[in-house]
Amino acid sequence: MSGEVTIYDIAEKLGLSAATVSRALKDNPAINSNTKKKIRAAAEAMGYRSNRFASNLRKRTTNTIGVVVPRLNSNFMSTAISAMEKMASDAGYSLIIVQSLESPAKEIANIRTLFNSRVDGLMAALSSEQETDIDFRILTDRGIPVVFFDQVPSGSSQPCIIIDNAQAAHAITMHLIGQGCKRIVHLTGNVKRFVYRERLSGYKMALLEAGIPFDEELVLHSDLTELSAPDIANRILEMDGRPDALFAANDMSAAACLTAFRERGLSIPGDIAVAGFNNDPISRLMQPNITTINYPAYQIGATAATYLLNHLTGKSSLQATNKVILHADLLVRESTMRLPHNDQLRSVF
Amino acid sequence: MSGEVTIYDIAEKLGLSAATVSRALKDNPAINSNTKKKIRAAAEAMGYRSNRFASNLRKRTTNTIGVVVPRLNSNFMSTAISAMEKMASDAGYSLIIVQSLESPAKEIANIRTLFNSRVDGLMAALSSEQETDIDFRILTDRGIPVVFFDQVPSGSSQPCIIIDNAQAAHAITMHLIGQGCKRIVHLTGNVKRFVYRERLSGYKMALLEAGIPFDEELVLHSDLTELSAPDIANRILEMDGRPDALFAANDMSAAACLTAFRERGLSIPGDIAVAGFNNDPISRLMQPNITTINYPAYQIGATAATYLLNHLTGKSSLQATNKVILHADLLVRESTMRLPHNDQLRSVF
DNA sequence: TTGTAAGCGTTATCAC
DNA sequence: GTGATAACGCTTACAA
């Protein structure tokens, strides 16, 4: 730690100035290519490593991008982050990742931490919405670009990468209705979050369009985890007038409910159709496999990173009005196929 | 960006010195509590944020921990990293995460990047092994602590957090044998990796112990992804003398093979028993649910982070010989229960 | 093509 | 309790 080699050490050893060494190491064209070679060789031999802090301090830029997410251990998040890491890394940027774990206080603290870490830019999926306008402003006010994805602030005109959640939910609900379902339960998460609110509204729109009266009782709320599914399944089975379909806002809870239904002896989709959201691997592997929306995690992550990086490297500018809406197809699978010959079938993978 | 407030600005405004401001902001007990209050108020009012780079440059420490993984989008990795992030964040550290994506070259580059980023410590799961001894030394030689987890360098005496993979594989194989299976296929990954090599050896040991001759033909290699499973399932079904069990080295491929088997009309576990490894959610939700090993991702991540943080904060020292072996229980489930009354049943969750 | 020198914003070491 | 001052290692006008 103490014996770090600096450009001064190299300079001294070679009888040059630190400035020349600095330039050579950064491949400055002004430097003679022979001296460059010598300097590089010496740097290598002496075990030199550039001190990022000195450099950052001087240049006022960090080549670091912050990522804020509610939790990082879901198939969607880890896949999106994986894409971001690849893009960032290829462009010479590092990623600092923080999760807010459903705590608004931690989310605020995280934003401040990244702010103090002087990240060059930020990609964020929100866990709650209140603090958005308040706290991201400390960043945007100083010109630090922020790109939102997945859970984005509604209303505001921040750049964001999303799918049309309402339309996707509308499509899946219409499909269920087309399969003859009349009492469709929608299992949703915290509707303070953008995606869940949007999906709920798509569900409602479809009912309206089909002339099915909206029934508040049929909307259930949970944290959408595997653990809470058995309880949800119970509540569905105990309803007066048993529902004939479940549209869950993610695949994990769709799969877990489906399992619970089967354990009670119900047949899927005969007794109750089940649809999810995300196209997680589990939706493809369950028996029956589960109708869902293909939520393009990798593409969302890659797109968010590309926009941010292009902005940071000056290749293109991020407009506040940029709103990228990616496609998200309905994948009809066995768990909702109640009609024998169904030409709505589109894809199984 | 340009109008950053510094401790000098605060000092000037308050008629104090920068040193005093610095001390007050760090809650140095030598400073009068009244001046502290004034300084804090001014800092807040002026929108001051500490410059980490100046601080790091001066203190020669970064409060940053590097994490190296093969890929971060698996249930195991994202859960382990989630735990690490929580521990690190609670201790005031940030995480820089890099993935090597199966490329040894990128793994080496990643290690250098983290090295140049002056991380205070490192947690690493390797994608290949060659470079371990070569490249991690640039860190350890300078006293930067490294804790390995999951994919660890074999032979070396680096601190690492693991389970006894061989014993777990032994247990699962013995269980299959106990269920009357005679021809057990083992589906493994790249055996250059520690965990797969160990699991394979546990499988062999169990066969040996049970007097079943080891058959090289029954060991299949793949990347253990969902995509390669159909091909693997085909190869198993086309073998002379159909196997009566599959022990896959992860749950994803176990689940995907199980699905493929069922599509061919086989019954599980009657025609072929299926076991996985990890206790991913999918193993619990599949029908039938899948016998597996509970690989404690969160605990592994939390333990690795705790050890590293305790070392960094001087609470306890990380000895090179530290090797923490966590428990990993066999979870017997439906996919391997071929005998009617089986007292080996331990748990379904 | 190379050198000089002035910062970048903090913190540590002395002083007082 | 507080202040001066000197690093920390790098980049970049400006000179030469």
Side-chain angles (χ1 to χ4, degrees):
Chain A
M1 226 37 178
S2 47
E4 286 290 349
V5 178
T6 74
I7 51 173
Y8 284 96
D9 299 325
I10 300 176
E12 190 178 17
K13 176 157 184 181
L14 264 42
L16 291 165
S17 77
T20 305
V21 175
S22 172
R23 292 187 185 109
L25 259 17
K26 301 227 69 185
D27 210 14
N28 185 318
I31 303 294
N32 181 300
S33 62
N34 255 332
T35 26
K36 269 188 199 170
K37 262 181 213 159
K38 262 184 265 175
I39 289 172
R40 290 215 190 100
E44 176 70 20
M46 299 169 73
Y48 168 80
R49 59 171 175 168
S50 163
N51 186 322
R52 273 203 181 193
F53 302 109
S55 172
N56 289 338
L57 178 60
R58 185 59 230 241
K59 290 190 308 180
R60 297 155 151 276
T61 167
T62 67
N63 271 39
T64 299
I65 292 173
V67 180
V68 180
V69 298
R71 322 190 73 88
L72 56 84
N73 55 333
S74 72
N75 182 68
F76 169 77
M77 264 322 160
S78 60
T79 304
I81 292 174
S82 177
M84 292 170 177
E85 196 279 339
K86 173 149 183 41
M87 300 292 145
S89 161
D90 287 351
Y93 283 74
S94 295
L95 241 46
I96 294 189
I97 300 168
V98 293
Q99 50 184 346
S100 38
L101 299 172
E102 331 297 328
S103 154
K106 182 149 194 244
E107 183 158 281
I108 295 174
N110 281 341
I111 295 167
R112 289 206 79 87
T113 301
L114 293 176
F115 178 61
N116 288 331
S117 294
R118 298 287 208 276
V119 292
D120 290 341
L122 204 69
M123 294 183 271
L126 304 174
S127 59
S128 48
E129 261 197 54
Q130 284 81 344
E131 61 277 15
T132 304
D133 288 338
I134 314 164
D135 280 79
F136 279 100
R137 259 188 214 152
I138 65 176
L139 293 155
T140 48
D141 282 357
R142 307 227 194 186
I144 301 169
V146 179
V147 177
F148 293 94
F149 67 100
D150 186 54
Q151 307 279 3
V152 307
S154 58
S156 92
S157 55
Q158 297 291 329
C160 53
I161 315 296
I162 47 176
I163 62 160
D164 189 334
N165 284 278
Q167 190 216 297
H170 176 270
I172 214 162
T173 309
M174 286 308 268
H175 160 71
L176 289 169
I177 294 169
Q179 293 293 316
C181 299
K182 308 263 188 245
R183 285 178 58 72
I184 303 171
V185 170
H186 179 44
L187 172 58
T188 184
N190 181 349
V191 289
K192 282 187 182 160
R193 294 212 199 164
F194 175 76
V195 300
Y196 300 130
R197 198 171 53 242
E198 289 286 299
R199 289 169 198 179
L200 175 58
S201 100
Y203 160 80
K204 285 184 186 171
M205 284 188 316
L207 294 183
L208 186 69
E209 205 172 308
I212 299 179
F214 171 68
D215 180 354
E216 190 73 50
E217 303 275 308
L218 293 181
V219 177
L220 299 181
H221 297 260
S222 87
D223 61 2
L224 298 178
T225 62
E226 183 190 355
L227 286 175
S228 58
D231 177 51
I232 293 292
N234 272 343
R235 286 167 59 192
I236 292 172
L237 296 183
E238 283 164 6
M239 285 177 172
D240 304 332
R242 201 178 64 213
D244 48 18
L246 165 65
F247 163 34
N250 76 7
D251 284 336
M252 178 58 83
S253 53
C257 285
L258 188 151
T259 298
F261 290 150
R262 293 185 65 130
E263 280 167 2
R264 297 293 198 307
L266 275 73
S267 87
I268 318 291
D271 293 326
I272 184 165
V274 175
F277 207 109
N278 279 358
N279 193 22
D280 283 354
I282 201 168
S283 70
R284 302 188 285 266
L285 293 171
M286 288 293 290
Q287 170 101 11
N289 54 20
I290 301 177
T291 292
T292 191
I293 297 291
N294 181 38
Y295 198 34
Y298 196 90
Q299 204 193 337
I300 288 176
T303 307
T306 303
Y307 271 75
L308 186 58
L309 289 164
N310 280 346
H311 179 85
L312 291 175
T313 55
K315 279 185 200 140
S316 72
S317 175
L318 207 51
Q319 298 299 321
T321 49
N322 270 359
K323 184 163 293 204
V324 179
I325 299 180
L326 300 176
H327 284 290
D329 289 328
L330 170 64
L331 305 177
V332 175
R333 300 206 182 106
E334 297 160 2
S335 69
T336 58
M337 303 264 289
R338 289 154 67 98
L339 302 182
H341 304 98
N342 188 311
D343 58 355
Q344 285 186 58
L345 179 60
R346 301 231 201 115
S347 161
V348 180
F349 193 87
Chain B
M1 228 33 178
S2 48
E4 286 290 348
V5 178
T6 74
I7 51 173
Y8 281 97
D9 300 325
I10 299 175
E12 190 178 18
K13 177 157 183 183
L14 264 40
L16 290 166
S17 78
T20 304
V21 173
S22 173
R23 291 187 187 108
L25 259 18
K26 301 226 65 186
D27 209 13
N28 185 318
I31 302 294
N32 182 299
S33 63
N34 254 333
T35 26
K36 269 188 197 170
K37 260 180 215 159
K38 260 184 266 174
I39 290 173
R40 291 217 189 98
E44 176 71 18
M46 298 169 74
Y48 168 79
R49 59 171 176 167
S50 164
N51 185 323
R52 274 204 181 192
F53 302 111
S55 175
N56 289 340
L57 178 59
R58 186 59 233 237
K59 288 190 309 178
R60 299 155 150 277
T61 167
T62 65
N63 272 36
T64 299
I65 291 173
V67 180
V68 180
V69 298
R71 321 191 75 90
L72 55 83
N73 55 335
S74 72
N75 183 68
F76 170 76
M77 265 322 161
S78 60
T79 304
I81 292 174
S82 176
M84 292 170 177
E85 197 278 338
K86 171 148 183 40
M87 300 291 144
S89 160
D90 287 352
Y93 282 75
S94 295
L95 242 45
I96 295 190
I97 300 169
V98 293
Q99 51 183 348
S100 38
L101 299 172
E102 331 297 326
S103 153
K106 184 154 192 237
E107 184 160 277
I108 295 174
N110 281 340
I111 294 169
R112 290 207 77 89
T113 301
L114 292 176
F115 178 61
N116 288 332
S117 295
R118 298 287 207 276
V119 292
D120 290 340
L122 204 69
M123 294 184 272
L126 304 174
S127 57
S128 48
E129 262 196 53
Q130 283 82 341
E131 61 277 13
T132 304
D133 289 337
I134 314 164
D135 280 81
F136 279 100
R137 260 189 212 149
I138 64 177
L139 293 154
T140 48
D141 281 357
R142 305 226 195 187
I144 300 169
V146 179
V147 176
F148 293 94
F149 67 100
D150 187 53
Q151 307 279 5
V152 306
S154 57
S156 92
S157 55
Q158 296 291 329
C160 54
I161 315 295
I162 47 175
I163 63 161
D164 189 334
N165 284 277
Q167 190 216 295
H170 176 271
I172 215 163
T173 310
M174 286 307 268
H175 159 71
L176 289 168
I177 294 170
Q179 294 292 316
C181 300
K182 309 264 189 242
R183 285 177 60 73
I184 305 171
V185 169
H186 179 46
L187 172 58
T188 184
N190 181 348
V191 289
K192 281 187 184 160
R193 293 211 199 166
F194 175 76
V195 301
Y196 300 128
R197 199 171 52 241
E198 290 285 299
R199 290 170 198 178
L200 175 57
S201 100
Y203 160 81
K204 286 183 185 172
M205 285 190 314
L207 294 184
L208 186 68
E209 206 172 307
I212 300 178
F214 171 68
D215 181 354
E216 192 73 50
E217 303 275 309
L218 294 181
V219 176
L220 300 179
H221 297 259
S222 87
D223 61 2
L224 298 178
T225 62
E226 182 190 356
L227 287 175
S228 58
D231 177 50
I232 293 291
N234 272 343
R235 286 168 59 192
I236 292 172
L237 296 182
E238 283 164 7
M239 286 178 174
D240 303 332
R242 199 176 66 212
D244 48 18
L246 165 65
F247 162 36
N250 76 9
D251 284 335
M252 178 60 82
S253 53
C257 285
L258 189 150
T259 297
F261 290 149
R262 293 186 64 132
E263 280 167 2
R264 297 293 199 307
L266 274 73
S267 87
I268 317 292
D271 293 327
I272 184 165
V274 175
F277 206 109
N278 279 358
N279 192 23
D280 282 353
I282 201 168
S283 69
R284 302 188 284 265
L285 293 171
M286 288 293 289
Q287 170 101 7
N289 53 21
I290 300 177
T291 293
T292 192
I293 297 291
N294 182 39
Y295 198 32
Y298 196 89
Q299 205 193 337
I300 288 176
T303 306
T306 303
Y307 271 74
L308 185 57
L309 289 164
N310 281 344
H311 180 84
L312 290 175
T313 55
K315 279 184 200 143
S316 71
S317 176
L318 207 51
Q319 297 300 319
T321 48
N322 270 357
K323 185 163 291 203
V324 179
I325 300 179
L326 300 175
H327 285 288
D329 288 329
L330 170 64
L331 304 177
V332 175
R333 301 205 182 106
E334 297 160 1
S335 69
T336 59
M337 302 265 288
R338 289 154 67 98
L339 302 181
H341 303 97
N342 188 312
D343 56 357
Q344 284 186 61
L345 178 62
R346 302 230 201 115
S347 163
V348 181
F349 193 85

